[in-house]
Amino acid sequence: MSEIPETVSDVVWQSSPPGSIYDYIKVASFSIGPDGRVDQWSRRAVDLFGVTADEVRGRDPVEVFMPCELRPRGHRQVAEILDGKEWTGLVPFRMPGEGGTHGIAEVYVMPSETESGERAALCIVVDVRALRQIETDLAASQAIFGQSPFGFLLFGTDLKVQRTNERFATVFGGVADDHRGRTVHDYLSRPEADRMNASLRRVLETGESAIDLQIVGAAPGSTDRRHWSINLYRVHSGTGRPIGVAGVGTDVTRRHIAAREAASARRNLALLNEASARIGNSLDLETTARELLDVAVPGFCDLASVDLYQALLTGDEAPPGRWGSPHAEGYGGGSAELRRVAFASAVSGTPLLAAPGSTNEASTATAVGEVHHYPFNSPCASALRTARVQAIPGEEGSLVQSTLAVPMVAHDTVVGLVQFSRAKGSEPFGERDQALATELAARAAVCMDNARLYRREHERALILQRSLLPPGDPEAAGLDIACRYLPGNTATEVGGDWFDVIELPGHRTALVVGDVMGRGLRAAVAMGELRTAVRTLALLDLEPAEVLSALDEIARGLGSPSGTQQASRVAHKSRDADLSEVYLATCVYAVYDPVTRRCTFANAGHLPPVLVEPGEEALLLDVPPGMPLGVGGEPFEEVEVELPEGALLALYTDGLVESRHHPLDEGLRAFRRALTDPVRPLEDVCDHVLNTLDTRHGEDDIALLMARVQGLPVDAVGDWRLPREPRSVGRARELARAQLITWDLEALVDTVELLVSELVTNALRYGEGEIRLRLLRDRTLVCEVWDAGLVQPRRRRARDTDEGGRGLQLVGLLSAAWGSRRTPRGKTVWFELPLPDGDSTAEPTVEQLLSMF
């Protein structure tokens, strides 16, 4: 079918719904015939006059409706109308059902003709009272709509603006009529317009009003964000038909700002309360910095970072940020070195936005742990120099909208810089925000300054503490070792007890436990000096009693004045001070030989060692206690004990068995009972002892050193005696070669033959008595050559013309270690080689060999 052209046929005829203007003004009609009688009576006339058509049809309208005094005039007017004259006027009439009260109708009479050509009339009647009410309503509506301080809008059912008032036009430009036909998209951004449209459609469809709809936008020609509160309600016709949506808008920007400021003040107070509770709970710089950022992000800002002076973190006495000092100007034309110690972000996937050297640093520019500095002209360097907050605007295209660079000041000292940043779309920083940022940074700075002072003391204490403990896990040939150290002063981790495990030549091991009497750093210093002295004396391979005698001299020297002049200057008050400076210490020194499984003990006033043999109860070894170190004047005795295989030896300090709450004997009995089952792993035995005994940990230091005896196997020892004759040199080489082949150490044969030959030759040339050769295989290979001579070998530099004198140089070059020690009946010269790891043993280079000549 072809399309119908746009003609009159396109007009759609349909019935209009109720609610037109005629419903409001109550228009009625009737007609008068040629005889002056009513011949037609409309239904509207029935409603207006309250008379049915049957009651009025065929009657004189003047007689029916008009009062008696007006009827003569009414008859004259009807006659004139039937003569063909039009007439319009006001006619009084009686109101139906109102007790005979009168109404006024405006009547418009139009002459007409019947089919036979006779004259008649058509009358249109309007209730004047209804017209007056409409006029009053319109006047009132216009007054409210036009003079209201609020913006009014009337949307049609198509959601287009049908009418606005002048107040609305004042805000959005033009006059009221200019806005007719517009939509909300002409005034608002797309998201806000879509939200407004959805609300309009919902109100139009459901009839439910929308109260206090918050809309954000900007007036034309302005970039200021405005806030409006919109109330929407559906408008109906007189018959109840929806004809649109009315909107009343109020500018609530000031109220919003006031509410936002009040909320900001409440938030700031809450942040300060939270900061007081959360910042400074740890005396650690990095932890305090993280606590600050935990409070600030996201409650105060979107991104934040903390930079602290590198000098502060490395433990310098004073950081370079003294406010107003020359140091505050920085180094190299900029700030001193800082380290980024903390960073936090509430923005996912935050990139590094700027390099540390830029003049507009973002808080994410530097990675945590990185050391950097700010250029002299940068805002951050200025904040550090002047101790004043610097506001830094965000760069174009950057995620950050603005940044506050806040110096962290404690006691007139700038310790670092904290940067608070807000991302694009967040509320910009205000004056109150700057004040809050300064307060947060100041609180954290005070905590960090306290942490700095604590860290300085803490690190010193830790250095002392670590110097007192053996490095790593102690190992010894023929011994399984476990140890525990629990400091009594947990605040600084420093105590007066110590233990040590020292490897001696010949796979022997020195076990040491000591206790300096007294508490505090000074006692700890003395303990460190004694422990160092023990290790030094042990390397001399002295007997245990000799070691304690030398330690006694050292302990007495620790308490003496530093010089006679100093002593004379303070002589008048030195008597009591000298008594307090006397250092006393107890110590047990034991040397264990895994070949013989014999252990030699010497005791300087310490508690006796405990020995647990397999299947037996724990017992205290009868080692003469001697006098404590520092007393002097008394020799120390030695006791040699043979330890059976699998036996458990325990050395300990009094903090393990002695307490104010129970006597020493009771503690020793409990300790022995805790050791009655030594079969379990040694680490478990240590834990069992500490968990079982009532040590009252914290009152005193506790040191516990335990060793389980595991002597060297017989097949790991080669021991031979050689006569004092030249052929013993060759015999020694043969024995060493055969033993190494038995041990599958062929890679060491050539080196060992050469070195054994040198040592046996030296024993024949410079020693005395019978020669003894011993090879020991454990973690390393040790070779020992014994003789009865007392003269210790000395390594010397041979001259170019010398034909000998290079033997010990060769031993030192080819071995991992070598040395000599005295024995009760002579001396022992030894060297040590590492066991091959599968690769061939490295041979000496030509340069190394030539260096001996």
Side-chain angles (χ1 to χ4, degrees):
M1 177 182 294
S2 61
E3 294 184 359
I4 301 176
E6 293 184 0
T7 61
V8 179
S9 61
D10 292 335
V11 179
V12 178
W13 293 83
Q14 64 181 9
S15 299
S16 297
S20 67
I21 188 63
Y22 302 106
D23 294 324
Y24 287 100
I25 61 178
K26 299 182 179 179
V27 177
S29 65
F30 63 90
S31 61
I32 300 175
D35 56 357
R37 307 289 181 176
V38 177
D39 59 359
Q40 291 185 355
W41 191 256
S42 67
R43 293 184 178 177
R44 287 286 183 93
V46 174
D47 296 335
L48 178 61
F49 296 105
V51 180
T52 64
D54 293 337
E55 293 175 339
V56 74
R57 191 180 293 118
R59 298 182 60 185
D60 184 351
V62 176
E63 298 292 335
V64 173
F65 302 110
M66 297 186 69
C68 296
E69 63 273 14
L70 299 178
R71 288 177 183 174
R73 183 180 175 182
H75 286 297
R76 289 195 300 270
Q77 292 293 339
V78 172
E80 292 177 0
I81 291 169
L82 293 178
D83 286 340
K85 292 181 179 181
E86 291 186 358
W87 181 81
T88 301
L90 298 177
V91 178
F93 66 95
R94 291 191 296 270
M95 297 292 294
E98 296 188 11
T101 59
H102 294 276
I104 298 177
E106 184 174 354
V107 181
Y108 176 51
V109 182
M110 297 173 290
S112 62
E113 294 183 355
T114 63
E115 294 179 357
S116 60
E118 294 179 299
R119 294 181 178 178
L122 177 64
C123 301
I124 304 297
V125 184
V126 178
D127 187 351
V128 173
R129 190 174 63 175
L131 288 176
R132 297 294 181 267
Q133 184 63 43
I134 291 175
E135 290 176 355
T136 302
D137 291 346
L138 287 175
S141 176
Q142 184 61 32
I144 295 174
F145 201 76
Q147 300 172 18
S148 172
F150 308 114
F152 275 90
L153 284 158
L154 180 62
F155 296 92
T157 54
D158 56 357
L159 303 186
K160 291 183 179 180
V161 176
Q162 290 187 348
R163 188 179 179 186
T164 65
N165 66 347
E166 291 299 328
R167 175 60 181 168
F168 181 86
T170 300
V171 176
F172 287 95
V175 297
D177 291 340
D178 295 339
H179 297 275
R180 195 182 304 274
R182 295 183 181 179
T183 66
V184 291
H185 287 278
D186 296 317
Y187 306 105
L188 303 173
S189 63
R190 185 177 183 85
E192 291 291 272
D194 290 342
R195 194 161 64 89
M196 180 75 171
N197 254 351
S199 297
L200 287 170
R201 189 171 292 106
R202 184 167 55 252
V203 171
L204 187 62
E205 292 175 355
T206 65
E208 296 180 359
S209 300
I211 307 299
D212 197 20
L213 177 64
Q214 296 294 318
I215 297 296
V216 180
S222 174
T223 58
D224 295 338
R225 289 165 56 91
R226 310 297 296 178
H227 295 261
W228 292 286
S229 173
I230 307 295
N231 296 323
L232 301 175
Y233 56 93
R234 192 167 68 183
V235 180
H236 306 85
S237 66
T239 59
R241 176 175 62 90
I243 60 174
V245 177
V248 181
T250 306
D251 191 334
V252 293
T253 304
R254 291 185 180 179
R255 187 177 69 188
H256 182 79
I257 293 174
R260 184 178 59 194
E261 290 180 352
S264 176
R266 290 193 298 270
R267 180 199 63 191
N268 292 353
L269 288 175
L271 277 174
L272 288 177
N273 289 334
E274 185 180 4
S276 300
R278 297 181 60 181
I279 297 176
N281 293 324
S282 171
L283 288 175
D284 179 79
L285 294 173
E286 288 83 356
T287 302
T288 303
R290 288 192 295 269
E291 290 171 347
L292 169 62
L293 299 193
D294 289 341
V295 172
V297 179
F300 177 68
C301 61
D302 300 315
L303 305 94
S305 66
V306 176
D307 297 323
L308 297 181
Y309 279 114
Q310 180 70 355
L312 178 74
L313 295 167
T314 54
D316 288 0
E317 288 296 323
R322 177 70 62 179
W323 183 15
S325 71
H327 294 287
E329 296 298 325
Y331 298 94
S335 70
E337 285 188 340
L338 299 110
R339 187 194 304 172
R340 177 67 47 84
V341 296
F343 170 73
S345 172
V347 183
S348 59
T350 306
L352 296 180
L353 301 180
S358 68
T359 58
N360 189 8
E361 298 85 5
S363 60
T364 55
T366 307
V368 174
E370 184 176 344
V371 177
H372 65 98
H373 69 88
Y374 294 107
F376 183 82
N377 293 326
S378 66
C380 289
S382 176
L384 291 169
R385 284 195 308 273
T386 63
R388 295 181 180 177
V389 179
Q390 297 290 322
I392 309 173
E395 296 179 346
E396 186 175 354
S398 170
L399 176 68
V400 173
Q401 176 193 125
S402 61
T403 298
L404 293 179
V406 186
M408 306 179 72
V409 183
H411 310 300
D412 292 336
T413 299
V414 179
V415 300
L417 182 76
V418 57
Q419 297 182 64
F420 302 106
S421 299
R422 288 182 179 173
K424 295 290 179 63
S426 296
E427 185 178 335
F429 288 114
E431 293 184 3
R432 293 182 179 176
D433 293 324
Q434 290 194 21
L436 176 62
T438 303
E439 179 65 22
L440 290 175
R443 294 193 179 196
V446 171
C447 296
M448 288 182 177
D449 195 50
N450 293 337
R452 175 182 70 85
L453 297 175
Y454 168 76
R455 170 175 285 190
R456 184 179 64 186
E457 299 301 324
H458 184 66
E459 288 180 350
R460 291 175 180 176
L462 285 179
I463 291 172
L464 272 176
Q465 179 65 28
R466 290 165 183 165
S467 69
L468 305 177
L469 299 177
D473 296 328
E475 294 182 356
L479 291 177
D480 181 16
I481 294 178
C483 51
R484 295 290 187 273
Y485 184 87
L486 302 178
N489 188 350
T490 57
T492 58
E493 299 185 21
V494 171
D497 296 7
W498 91 94
F499 70 92
D500 209 345
V501 178
I502 307 170
E503 294 188 55
L504 300 177
H507 288 316
R508 293 172 305 134
T509 302
L511 304 176
V512 188
V513 168
D515 181 6
V516 175
M517 299 180 186
R519 303 292 295 275
L521 289 176
R522 296 184 63 84
V525 170
M527 174 180 59
E529 294 187 7
L530 290 177
R531 178 181 178 274
T532 302
V534 168
R535 295 190 70 87
T536 303
L537 295 171
L539 294 178
L540 297 177
D541 212 353
L542 302 177
E543 295 298 325
E546 294 179 303
V547 171
L548 293 186
S549 296
L551 282 179
D552 181 51
E553 294 291 335
I554 294 174
R556 282 187 289 167
L558 292 178
S560 62
S562 59
T564 58
Q565 293 181 354
Q566 178 184 1
S568 62
R569 285 196 302 266
V570 296
H572 62 284
K573 45 173 109 171
S574 63
R575 184 179 305 274
D576 294 336
D578 287 344
L579 291 176
S580 64
E581 292 292 329
V582 173
Y583 289 96
L584 299 178
T586 62
C587 181
V588 169
Y589 186 87
V591 175
Y592 171 70
D593 187 343
V595 178
T596 62
R597 292 200 310 277
R598 301 187 69 83
C599 189
T600 304
F601 296 92
N603 189 351
H606 203 79
L607 294 173
V610 175
L611 179 66
V612 186
E613 297 185 7
E616 302 290 337
E617 293 184 356
L619 57 90
L620 298 175
L621 291 180
D622 186 12
V623 178
M627 299 298 292
L629 302 176
V631 174
E634 293 293 332
F636 297 98
E637 300 183 40
E638 293 181 358
V639 172
E640 189 175 67
V641 179
E642 183 173 352
L643 305 179
E645 186 76 19
L648 182 65
L649 178 66
L651 307 179
Y652 52 96
T653 57
D654 57 358
L656 183 68
V657 295
E658 188 176 19
S659 172
R660 291 177 297 178
H661 303 277
H662 56 76
L664 176 61
D665 291 342
E666 181 180 335
L668 288 174
R669 285 194 297 270
F671 181 39
R672 292 167 57 191
R673 285 195 300 270
L675 294 175
T676 53
D677 184 16
V679 180
R680 68 179 72 184
L682 204 54
E683 293 290 339
D684 294 345
V685 174
C686 283
D687 294 336
H688 175 69
V689 168
L690 294 177
N691 294 331
T692 301
L693 299 185
D694 183 16
T695 61
R696 301 284 178 175
H697 174 52
E699 294 182 359
D700 197 3
D701 312 325
I702 295 176
L704 175 62
L705 177 61
M706 305 186 72
R708 176 171 285 131
V709 176
Q710 299 172 346
L712 287 182
V714 176
D715 57 1
V717 180
D719 194 352
W720 307 276
R721 298 181 182 273
L722 302 173
R724 190 172 186 79
E725 55 187 30
R727 64 178 182 177
S728 294
V729 176
R731 178 61 179 164
R733 288 197 298 267
E734 293 174 0
L735 293 171
R737 171 186 288 273
Q739 186 65 66
L740 293 178
I741 293 175
T742 303
W743 288 340
D744 294 327
L745 298 178
E746 289 86 350
L748 300 179
V749 168
D750 294 338
T751 301
V752 172
E753 279 190 326
L754 177 61
L755 299 185
V756 165
S757 178
E758 289 292 336
L759 295 188
V760 173
T761 299
N762 284 344
L764 288 173
R765 182 175 299 177
Y766 305 110
E768 298 178 5
E770 187 181 36
I771 299 171
R772 182 180 178 186
L773 172 65
R774 190 166 73 168
L775 293 180
L776 307 176
R777 185 195 66 182
D778 192 67
R779 290 171 296 151
T780 60
L781 177 69
V782 174
C783 175
E784 298 176 329
V785 176
W786 306 41
D787 70 80
L790 299 177
V791 178
Q792 297 291 322
R794 180 175 61 88
R795 183 176 177 179
R796 65 182 180 87
R797 182 78 177 181
R799 292 173 296 184
D800 295 344
T801 57
D802 290 345
E803 295 182 0
R806 299 180 178 86
L808 293 181
Q809 285 185 260
L810 189 63
V811 173
L813 177 65
L814 297 181
S815 65
W818 78 278
S820 66
R821 67 178 183 274
R822 290 182 300 167
T823 64
R825 292 178 295 276
K827 68 176 180 298
T828 301
V829 183
W830 58 271
F831 67 83
E832 184 176 357
L833 292 173
L835 299 181
D837 56 0
D839 300 330
S840 60
T841 305
E843 296 292 337
T845 64
V846 175
E847 289 78 6
Q848 291 173 319
L849 293 174
L850 290 177
S851 67
M852 295 186 297
F853 294 91

